Amino acid sequence: MTMSVGWYLRRLSRMGPQEVAGRVADTVRRRRWRATPPDCPNVTGARFTAVLPAGTIAAVPPDAAKRLVAEADLLMDGHAEFFGVVRDDLADPDWWFDPKTGRRAPEGYAFDVPYRSEDAVGDIKQIWEPSRHQYLTQLAAAYALTGDERYAERVAEHLRSWWEANPPLRGVHWLSGIELGIRLLSWVWVRRLLDGWPGAAGLFEDNPVARNQIWHHQRWLAAFPSRGSSANNHVIAEDAGQLAAACAFDWFPESARWRTGALRSLERQLRANTYLSGLNRELATEYHGLVLELGLAALAEADAAGVQVPATVRLVLLRMTDALAAVVDNRLRPPRQGDADDGHGLIVDGAGTDRWGSLLATGDAVFGRLDWWPTVTGTDVRTPLLAALIKPAEPSVTRPASRPTHFADAGMTILRGPEEIWVRCDGGPHGFLSIAAHAHADALSVEVRHDGVDVLADPGTYCYHGQPEWRQYFRSTLGHNTLQLDGADQSVSGGPFLWTRHAQSRVLSAEGARWSAEHDGYQGSVHRRQVELAADEQELRIVDEVHGPRREARLAFHLGPAITAELAGNQARLTWTRDGEDRSAVLDLPAQLSWQAHRGETEPPLGWYSEGFGRKEPATTLIGTGTTDGTEGFTTVLRFRG
């Protein structure tokens, strides 16, 4: 996917003067670095002191350790999966190869590489992901747990291979700040977890190649921060990686300056990226998890180094943790809202570890759980490691006395009923900053689960680059459980991470089991929706009204992949199985519309569900078509059965 002149003009229109000036300065600096690249200063006497406290590894639960070692053994055999693509070549990886397309990224000066073009580079996410080196933190953690030097030797082999293949400013791995920031964080943890290995110092502090790489990564991050309309989760990753490296690898004349700047920026950007309610402003749940992971990891590094952290950093992370505890369903699954690319801040656990349970366990260890928090029964490796480094501190704010259900600033409301019924209602802003990069055109959409099973599902994300028709579908209005008018999205897209006009939503009421909101995304018309959960009857009622002239309407309900639907007229009978038990529901659809079921269609895409980035599977979508007349609404009723 290459960007046209029109895209650049649209992107420029979303920037302010300060951002434009900063980007011009970045361009000048890139040209200067091409001619005269910066040199790493010579340092002597470098030492690594940011080790884990005694007894930390012994505190890792045995079952979590077992999962991690099993994962590490697969990695040792060269097996891994990235975004749905299974790889068997990770014993000796080609760092520039994309196994999905079979292409290899071109060499040359980093800023000349057209990374958005799949024809020229391949799928850039497939190339970037292994080079975050989070699988190396897993191998290093396996060494720390077992003392088996095979894991440490493989880590050393791969780091030396990567450093040789990716000298500073050459190739695709020197293009994106989020990649550099997460990679630095991985290196800090690799060094920490290998501390008992005799070769650790020779791999890092006594290795001029490693020092050169670490210095250039930090120099790059200091020179090219994400700016203005791009200052979303990327800048948090940049700051977290910079802070971690400047604390743990404090070997350079610039280390103190980099540390101070990163901490100042992290504090400011955490506040800017987070609502006072604690929800992430991108309104994309997986990025809430990513930012929380990055923030906790950065806090751990600062505390381990004895660096004083502003109280607001802990406060934001506390609010984010409480908000996460408030919005998850009874199976600890959070909403599926906005973009999701399976991004993690720090990985030291094996497959089967629940990400959200792990974050709540860390929140419990660091901040203390509240009485209304859901119970976390699983275990993880990461929690005892982070908790060993983060200093306990009394919260300087009054925390919620009961479980919040309505987050006014984010426009999110969670309705809960018996039999584990969970409903998310979306009446919030379209997205974050002027480009709303990770937003979907999903105003007034609903998401419904029964005992953790997606019944009315948010279909997910699937892809970012290279497949524009799929990118468009998964973030479209028709791709969500809401109403589309005249075949148009509520918000106007200007590119795969750019929205040029944002629908404005507002919540009209959110009291008890009833919610209503409206948006103005369809010029000349207002879409208003009311949702009511009758808890005693296990019934959900959705009423859609359109105020304005007569228009063509399509009302979509996307069913989860576990749901089988039998559509007869305007009624759908839904069945599924949970833990060996048959479940069912009846969906009564508006009779004014003509209903059809769609599943796994490709021209155009319709009827799909993406469990994770790069993965999709057919799922049933019910589409009702007709017209609005401004006099009566469309009423949908979902009734659960035993």
Side-chain angles (χ1 to χ4, degrees):
M1 182 182 298
T2 54
M3 301 296 105
S4 65
V5 172
W7 178 86
Y8 282 103
L9 292 174
R10 292 191 296 272
R11 184 66 182 86
L12 184 64
S13 72
R14 311 305 292 178
M15 301 181 193
Q18 186 175 359
E19 181 179 355
V20 171
R23 290 179 182 269
V24 170
D26 289 347
T27 301
V28 172
R29 186 175 294 111
R30 287 168 184 151
R31 292 177 178 173
R32 187 171 69 246
W33 282 17
R34 179 204 295 272
T36 311
D39 291 325
C40 174
N42 292 322
V43 296
T44 58
R47 294 292 180 266
F48 183 84
T49 60
V51 298
L52 289 170
T56 300
I57 295 300
V60 174
D63 56 335
K66 183 178 180 180
R67 288 194 302 272
L68 171 62
V69 172
E71 184 84 5
D73 288 341
L74 288 173
L75 291 168
M76 290 293 291
D77 290 336
H79 304 304
E81 179 181 328
F82 298 107
F83 308 134
V85 176
V86 176
R87 298 186 63 163
D88 297 315
D89 61 342
L90 217 63
D92 183 21
D94 180 342
W95 302 108
W96 293 15
F97 177 69
D98 166 29
K100 179 180 172 183
T101 63
R103 297 186 179 92
R104 194 172 188 273
E107 301 183 17
Y109 185 57
F111 298 113
D112 291 340
V113 177
Y115 72 94
R116 293 189 179 96
S117 171
E118 188 170 287
D119 290 337
V121 174
D123 186 331
I124 192 62
K125 291 281 286 179
Q126 288 288 343
I127 297 174
W128 276 345
E129 191 68 15
S131 288
R132 289 186 172 188
H133 289 169
Q134 293 175 320
Y135 78 94
L136 295 183
T137 59
Q138 292 174 303
L139 289 173
Y143 165 76
L145 286 166
T146 66
D148 188 337
E149 294 192 359
R150 293 182 307 115
Y151 302 123
E153 290 163 357
R154 176 62 58 82
V155 171
E157 176 187 335
H158 281 204
L159 283 178
R160 291 191 174 103
S161 167
W162 194 93
W163 291 333
E164 181 180 0
N166 296 278
L169 303 179
R170 309 299 295 178
V172 294
H173 296 302
W174 292 88
L175 272 167
S176 173
I178 188 174
E179 304 304 317
L180 275 74
I182 290 177
R183 192 154 53 238
L184 277 177
L185 186 59
S186 295
W187 291 353
V188 168
W189 274 93
V190 164
R191 175 61 185 88
R192 173 175 291 127
L193 292 165
L194 293 184
D195 191 60
W197 181 53
L203 179 61
F204 280 94
E205 56 264 34
D206 295 339
N207 182 358
V209 175
R211 295 198 305 267
N212 185 56
Q213 286 275 350
I214 293 167
W215 184 86
H216 272 283
H217 272 66
Q218 292 184 87
R219 171 81 175 183
W220 193 107
L221 290 173
F224 302 114
S226 292
R227 302 180 184 277
S229 57
S230 294
N232 53 9
N233 65 87
H234 284 232
V235 75
I236 304 293
E238 294 160 13
D239 291 339
Q242 181 80 296
L243 178 61
C247 287
F249 302 142
D250 59 342
W251 309 326
F252 309 105
E254 304 91 343
S255 291
R257 174 167 53 85
W258 286 337
R259 183 167 57 245
T260 300
L263 183 56
R264 183 186 304 116
S265 178
L266 180 68
E267 188 274 337
R268 182 174 66 252
Q269 297 298 341
L270 277 174
R271 285 190 290 108
N273 276 258
T274 310
Y275 287 113
L276 289 177
S277 66
L279 290 179
N280 182 264
R281 284 183 180 269
E282 292 197 78
L283 297 175
T285 308
E286 282 210 5
Y287 287 112
H288 182 107
L290 174 64
V291 169
L292 182 53
E293 289 172 357
L294 291 167
L296 289 168
L299 176 61
E301 296 304 330
D303 280 356
V307 175
Q308 185 165 352
V309 177
T312 47
V313 170
R314 280 185 169 81
L315 177 58
V316 170
L317 298 176
L318 167 64
R319 284 175 170 160
M320 291 185 72
T321 307
D322 280 342
L324 176 62
V327 300
V328 294
D329 65 20
N330 68 304
R331 299 278 181 152
L332 301 186
R333 292 183 63 217
R336 284 167 52 90
Q337 183 179 19
D339 271 349
D341 71 349
D342 297 356
H344 289 72
L346 174 65
I347 302 179
V348 288
D349 277 283
T353 302
D354 181 76
R355 176 186 194 176
W356 309 103
S358 172
L359 276 170
L360 292 177
T362 303
D364 184 0
V366 173
F367 303 119
R369 72 185 310 277
L370 296 172
D371 291 341
W372 54 262
W373 273 29
T375 300
V376 176
T377 57
T379 63
D380 68 324
V381 175
R382 187 176 59 191
T383 289
L385 301 187
L386 288 177
L389 299 177
I390 297 176
K391 296 177 181 177
E394 289 295 324
S396 57
V397 65
T398 301
R399 299 168 70 184
S402 59
R403 192 174 202 172
T405 58
H406 178 54
F407 299 81
D409 46 11
M412 181 189 294
T413 296
I414 305 294
L415 306 179
R416 298 177 189 271
E419 299 297 326
E420 295 81 35
I421 298 172
W422 176 97
V423 181
R424 173 181 65 87
C425 304
D426 177 11
H430 175 62
F432 182 47
L433 301 173
S434 61
I435 63 173
H438 291 298
H440 291 185
D442 58 355
L444 309 196
S445 64
V446 297
E447 187 182 1
V448 182
R449 298 180 192 153
H450 187 280
D451 196 13
V453 174
D454 292 311
V455 179
L456 300 183
D458 183 294
T461 300
Y462 178 54
C463 67
Y464 282 169
H465 301 281
Q467 297 172 281
E469 71 281 6
W470 290 101
R471 175 66 172 151
Q472 191 279 331
Y473 168 70
F474 274 99
R475 66 181 195 147
S476 70
T477 297
L478 190 64
H480 294 83
N481 297 316
T482 189
L483 184 69
Q484 182 197 60
L485 296 183
D486 292 342
D489 285 337
Q490 308 152 338
S491 296
V492 177
S493 172
F497 298 98
L498 170 64
W499 296 91
T500 56
R501 184 172 62 80
H502 304 179
Q504 301 296 315
S505 302
R506 67 184 184 118
V507 175
L508 302 175
S509 66
E511 299 179 1
R514 180 178 296 178
W515 170 91
S516 65
E518 64 183 21
H519 77 83
D520 65 355
Y522 301 116
Q523 294 182 346
S525 297
V526 172
H527 173 207
R528 182 174 297 164
R529 168 169 277 186
Q530 178 176 297
V531 178
E532 183 175 4
L533 178 61
D536 55 340
E537 300 177 11
Q538 298 187 50
E539 177 180 292
L540 183 73
R541 181 177 295 268
I542 303 170
V543 178
D544 291 290
E545 298 175 350
V546 177
H547 299 272
R550 181 184 295 270
R551 306 181 75 158
E552 295 297 320
R554 287 199 290 181
L555 181 60
F557 290 108
H558 299 262
L559 308 181
I563 307 299
T564 298
E566 294 183 5
L567 178 65
N570 67 313
Q571 186 179 81
R573 295 186 177 275
L574 315 181
T575 56
W576 66 97
T577 301
R578 179 58 151 167
D579 297 333
E581 181 181 346
D582 292 336
R583 310 284 181 91
S584 66
V586 174
L587 187 61
D588 289 323
L589 301 159
Q592 309 100 302
L593 302 176
S594 175
W595 289 91
Q596 284 190 321
H598 303 264
R599 184 177 179 87
E601 299 173 10
T602 58
E603 296 182 359
L606 187 59
W608 295 91
Y609 179 94
S610 174
E611 181 180 4
F613 196 83
R615 300 183 293 276
K616 69 179 187 299
E617 60 184 302
T620 300
T621 295
L622 304 174
I623 301 290
T625 59
T627 60
T628 65
D629 59 15
T631 60
E632 60 178 323
F634 302 128
T635 299
T636 304
V637 180
L638 175 62
R639 298 183 179 89
F640 290 98
R641 298 290 183 260

